[in-house]
Amino acid sequence: MTHHPERRFVLKAGTSTLGLAAAGIFGWRASLVQAADPEKFEITRTDADWRKLLTPNQYAVLRQAGTERPYSSPLNDEHRAGRFSCAGCGLDLYSSKTKFDSKTGWPSFWQPLPNAVGEKTDTSAGMTRTEVHCRRCGGHQGHVFDDGPKPTGLRYCMNGLAMKFTPGAA
């Protein structure tokens, strides 16, 4: 598997910085995760097309690996049954059945749906951690850490801006 370090961008609104992600340590690789070459995604768009499709804040997270301010996403407090999908391409990523309150300020899950996400090593911010992205379009979702609950022991700490929630069957 090839890892491609990426630069980390800080999400900005006007001139005020909204924040960086919580720090973490390189985590265990779940068997439900697919490693992906960033140049080979099923859905590809030009930079101009991504900018038309996404809000400026979604673009900063999904396409530039930015991070939203903690506790800023309504999805952090979403407790209904349903699915969380990629805001870039609509692929279902997480079931509400695996969502938990990590007390970090970001929507957190202990497991993705099968064949939903890819991972790669992220060495930005002066540390090594595991970035999580949509396996279909490559959109940055967040990071996975090894301090989550059973049964996996993982915490998929995601940006709410990178996802959409659809209530219904989980």
Side-chain angles (χ1 to χ4, degrees), residues 68-156:
E68 67 193 3
R69 186 172 35 90
Y71 297 102
S72 65
S73 173
L75 295 184
N76 195 46
D77 296 319
E78 181 58 68
H79 303 293
R80 295 176 291 172
R83 297 260 175 140
F84 294 82
S85 60
C86 176
C89 72
L91 179 67
D92 285 342
L93 303 175
Y94 298 93
S95 166
S96 60
K97 292 177 182 177
T98 64
K99 188 172 186 288
F100 70 100
D101 184 0
S102 65
K103 310 261 189 262
T104 61
W106 289 280
S108 297
F109 306 85
W110 50 263
Q111 178 176 286
L113 291 168
N115 198 30
V117 302
E119 296 180 355
K120 63 184 173 183
T121 300
D122 174 1
T123 58
S124 66
M127 65 191 81
T128 299
R129 54 195 171 163
T130 303
E131 180 204 353
V132 176
H133 59 266
C134 172
R135 71 109 183 122
R136 187 162 66 182
C137 73
H140 173 78
Q141 297 292 317
H143 292 86
V144 61
F145 305 99
D146 62 2
D147 60 358
K150 291 180 180 181
T152 64
L154 299 174
R155 172 175 51 96
Y156 287 83

Side-chain angles (χ1 to χ4, degrees), residues 44-55:
T44 58
R45 293 185 170 89
T46 66
D47 188 63
D49 286 342
W50 281 118
R51 288 182 185 275
K52 288 177 192 172
L53 177 71
L54 304 168
T55 69

